[in-house]
Amino acid sequence: MKEVSKMKSFTDSIFRRFRFVPVVSKSAVAAALIAAGLSYASVVEAYSSPEVQMYAREAATEGIVLLRNNDNVLPFRKGTKVALFGCAQHQTFMNGYGSGGYVNPPYRISIADGMLMHSPEAISLDMQLLDVYGKWCKAHPIVDRGWGSWPYNVEEMKLDPEMVTAAGARNDVALVVIGRAAGEDRECRLAPGSYYLTDAEKDMLKQVTGAFKKTVVLMNVGNVTDMSWLNDYKIDGLLYGWHGGMETGIGVANVLCGVVSPSGKLGETIAQKYEDYPSAANFGGRNFNNYAEDIYVGYRYFETFAKDKVMFPFGFGMSYSKFDIKTDPIKVANDKIVVKSTVTNLGGASCLGKEVVQVYCSAPQGKLGKPSRVLVGFAKTPYLAGSPEGFRAQLPSGQTSCTVEINIPMKNLASYDDSGKTGKPFAWVLEPGDYDIYVGSSIRDCVKAGTINVPELRVVEQVESAAAIASEETAFQRMLPVVGANGEITLGSEKTPVTTVNISERIRKNLPAAVPMTGDKGIKLLDVALGKNTMKEFIAQLTPEELATLLRGDGNKDSALGIKGNASVYGGILPSLRDKGILPLSSADGPSGLWIPQNGSLMPNGTMLACTWNTDLIEKLGAAYGKEIDANGVDAVLGPGMNIHRSVLCGRNFEYFSEDPLLAGMIGGYTVRGIEESGTSAVPKHFALNNQETNRNRNDSRCSERAIREIYLRAFEIMIKVGKPDNIMGSYNLINGDWASYNYDICTTILRKEWGYTGCVMTDWWQQSTNNPRYFAADNALRVRAQTDVLMPGSGPGRGQGGQDRSILNSYENWVKAGSPADSIEAGLTLGEMQRGAENVLNFVIRSRYFRKLHNLPNTYKADNNWFDTEVK
Ligand code: BGC
């Protein structure tokens, strides 16, 4: 019962400290202003929703990963005397920098503040030391020198040995906080203060571990950093606390003080040292990077070739309790693998705990070669009571165990043959042999639950080759497992296959038919929404100028046509478009909260959200955030970040989820689902292979078609199928020689033809201009041909703010001059291509929150694909 009152007083104290003003709905006023053609920016009010605060707090707790807990140093038990070290206790990093972190939250709870809420009732914080650090941090504020020059770390206070010794004598345990942050447009550095510890931090660890009986280290970081120093000091407890947004301190304190047991699991492998990562030799190149590790990204590499180079494996994360996962022998029903486990909290701690059931597949090496284990399904349990003395009383059922059923379609286990080795080129195949299924609590802690034999090669999907390596000159050696006589696997290599596709022919063959232009017939977009007219009839009314305008944003950030602080506005940006009922739609960053002048919630970063492994919570957080987005008048929010953690040094890893496409795809998919369910749109980004920030506008990601499909696009595919976003954002980089946003195969062949995506694709902001002889188009005509529909923010590519270009109309006029040939791509951009792009944009306008609100239409969004199904009872 004591525990219960502890939690209650803790919750009360939070709500006493932070009071929030709920939004006042002025939608009627807004509608009138909008109808009168006025901007509705002025009627939007500051809003940070209590619902986001609640779920953000939960995620800031559940995403924390406990990696070491010697002699149960954690949780801090009642009365434990704790001394806090490290300036990040006060100068806590709440998120990263740039569009993914610029949010004005109504409050920020530092780690020191979070811990203080438990003192002196639960633990006893060393106030003397807290004060020394407080004064020092006040005198040494973090200096933010602006875009791209943000601080990576905090300046550490030099420690007086006498002070440390005295603190060691009067306390039971030290908590050392190490802080790091990163941001877009630049990488983390392989240097002290970024990837490595500084001398001051090493000195702090040396002195503290020398003076204290027990030391716990908390990593307040956005990216994984070097951890080799763990061997140099006596560290009893270690946690990755990530950046928990405005709730960072609450999440940390919840876990450290044992309000709940930690239940986060790593979404990426932590290696012994940087050089051990498979991408290390091919990251950071100015002009290009060869993705030589191929599909062997993260654990796929370590588990197959280099198990001993792992410090903390993928999926790993400790609890204060012990969990038992008992799995029934697996079955296959309706072409789905049925994994049924019973999870029991065996106790060991008096607090509530959750476990993540993880399912891995070990596929036969076959002709293609496979990673030794691949994540194919997962589910998180609810809180389960650990022991009768603990929180059991709080749970209506006192539930200590639950059953988890995970149903995984066999087709999800397939590999992509990009060379024809299996006899089925460009197909997703299940090679013959035994597929072993492992179930457990991390990639290493799992047991075999059964084997499925596939008697003969099975094609699960035949597709067309797309986006492969451009030429012999750009081909390279990629990693490959070589199976020895006794079944042992060693690291080999082979040359990447080179494209066999004539892209010009593919574009020509798939040219869309044009609808003859009719001039204005008085059809409004609402008539299409109400089914009175077809979209084709509506589009036939649009002039080439109107079509070209639908294919760009308004030109600058903070367009006068949208809400205050918008990233750009698109759709009805001309009076003649608005006359036809096309509304101007506001976009705004971003993945962890709204980057607008007014207050908004700052949520945990993407990496931390992934470490929750909790799709249910993520959907709720997404939905709550969606309401906040809606309340602020934002039609399309620029997030979540979907790119794969290829290197620990990528400056934007904090915005992205994981090294694994299934985890990234599911967390991204459920974020999108929540946002779209609440009536507004997500814009997941950056499509695709935006895996580094160095020279991000001109860098070529050279990668085999197999790795593109199995790893980098897979995360997007899962997210799109699970979340059904209305928009997505392209990326700055090139993919095998073609700019991602101008890449027909990426944006049309795969995204729309294979995956059935019908929404809008926008560029990243100020995309580079280019031309491409194989596409017979330049600049914006080229991207429209590829089906990246909207240039953002709308000024000419590579031309900075302002200054529209005429590249779309120039190209179209050339086509007209050539006699408007229906099957020619050489002449220029065809009318049909412009109309197709416009239709993609208008599909979204009709579904947008603004359009539906104005016309009182329901949100018909419906998620209907789970990739794999789970049932937790
Ligand atoms: C970033 C995007 C962001 C956009 C708008 C770009 O620099 O790469 O992620 O959404 O700016 O702020």
Side-chain angles (χ1 to χ4, degrees), residues 99-100 147 184-185 557 567 588-591 595 638-639 652 655-656 685-686 690 693 696 729-730 732 763-766:
S99 60
W147 188 270
E184 75 175 276
D185 223 351
K557 284 199 164 189
D589 283 297
W595 179 14
L638 309 177
R652 293 187 92 168
E655 291 184 53
Y656 304 149
K685 59 192 186 183
H686 307 90
N690 189 167
E693 290 299 291
R696 63 179 180 164
M729 187 194 294
Y732 290 127
T763 66
D764 199 345
W765 267 234
W766 299 290

Side-chain angles (χ1 to χ4, degrees), residues 38-200:
L38 298 171
S39 154
Y40 61 148
S42 54
V43 298
V44 175
E45 294 202 347
Y47 186 62
S48 165
S49 113
E51 221 183 327
V52 180
Q53 291 157 22
M54 178 170 76
Y55 292 123
R57 190 174 310 146
E58 231 175 295
T61 306
E62 274 198 35
I64 294 175
V65 188
L66 176 66
L67 295 172
R68 181 184 281 185
N69 195 16
N70 291 351
D71 298 328
N72 293 328
V73 59
L74 291 169
F76 297 139
R77 283 159 189 82
K78 193 165 168 54
T80 305
K81 293 186 187 127
V82 184
L84 289 186
F85 287 89
C87 291
Q89 62 179 284
H90 292 295
Q91 295 167 327
T92 302
F93 290 113
M94 312 273 170
N95 216 304
Y97 309 109
S99 60
Y102 279 168
V103 179
N104 297 312
Y107 60 92
R108 293 166 187 264
I109 304 173
S110 69
I111 290 164
D113 271 352
M115 295 298 288
L116 259 174
M117 289 182 190
H118 294 264
S119 186
E121 285 146 335
I123 57 164
S124 171
L125 270 195
D126 189 318
M127 303 307 280
Q128 206 178 317
L129 190 62
L130 202 72
D131 193 45
V132 172
Y133 267 105
K135 285 190 178 126
W136 199 90
C137 292
K138 202 161 175 218
H140 298 81
I142 299 185
V143 184
D144 182 344
R145 293 194 176 79
W147 188 270
S149 303
W150 311 285
Y152 284 106
N153 62 344
V154 288
E155 189 189 337
E156 241 2 293
M157 176 175 86
K158 193 153 176 37
L159 290 180
D160 167 10
E162 272 176 31
M163 181 188 82
V164 181
T165 310
R170 62 176 187 262
N171 288 289
D172 304 313
V173 57
L175 174 69
V176 179
V177 186
I178 307 274
R180 289 288 183 278
E184 75 175 276
D185 223 351
R186 72 168 187 183
E187 240 63 88
C188 296
R189 290 181 309 140
L190 210 48
S194 186
Y195 185 69
Y196 294 113
L197 292 183
T198 61
D199 286 344

Side-chain angles (χ1 to χ4, degrees), residues 226-299:
D226 175 57
M227 299 304 296
S228 58
W229 49 265
L230 271 182
N231 304 323
D232 302 337
Y233 314 97
K234 186 188 158 287
I235 309 291
D236 305 280
L238 173 72
L239 306 103
Y240 259 69
W242 309 114
H243 297 160
M246 61 194 186
E247 296 284 347
T248 301
I250 300 289
V252 162
N254 276 350
V255 166
L256 292 179
C257 301
V259 175
V260 291
S261 190
S263 63
K265 305 278 177 176
L266 287 178
E268 63 206 283
T269 315
I270 301 184
Q272 300 282 359
K273 56 183 194 306
Y274 175 74
E275 293 71 23
D276 293 336
Y277 288 102
S279 62
N282 290 290
F283 177 78
R286 264 206 90 62
N287 299 323
F288 68 90
N289 291 296
N290 289 339
Y291 284 36
E293 71 281 11
D294 208 51
I295 61 165
Y296 299 94
V297 175
Y299 72 78

Side-chain angles (χ1 to χ4, degrees), residues 790-870:
V790 180
L791 175 76
M792 282 297 206
S795 47
R799 293 184 181 87
Q801 302 229 355
Q804 306 302 330
D805 72 16
R806 277 200 101 255
S807 53
I808 292 182
L809 285 173
N810 287 347
S811 185
Y812 165 74
E813 284 161 11
N814 287 340
W815 176 74
V816 174
K817 269 190 223 134
S820 310
D823 58 353
S824 164
I825 61 166
E826 289 81 356
L829 192 67
T830 69
L831 178 61
E833 289 176 297
M834 284 170 69
Q835 290 174 331
R836 179 182 61 185
E839 185 168 346
N840 294 335
V841 179
L842 294 174
N843 279 342
F844 170 54
V845 179
I846 285 187
R847 293 198 290 252
S848 68
R849 57 172 286 289
Y850 189 0
F851 192 88
R852 283 186 288 99
K853 280 190 178 199
L854 190 62
H855 300 301
N856 229 343
L857 299 171
N859 181 12
T860 53
Y861 173 84
K862 200 168 175 309
D864 51 18
N865 186 326
N866 279 330
W867 197 257
F868 62 85
D869 295 319
T870 55

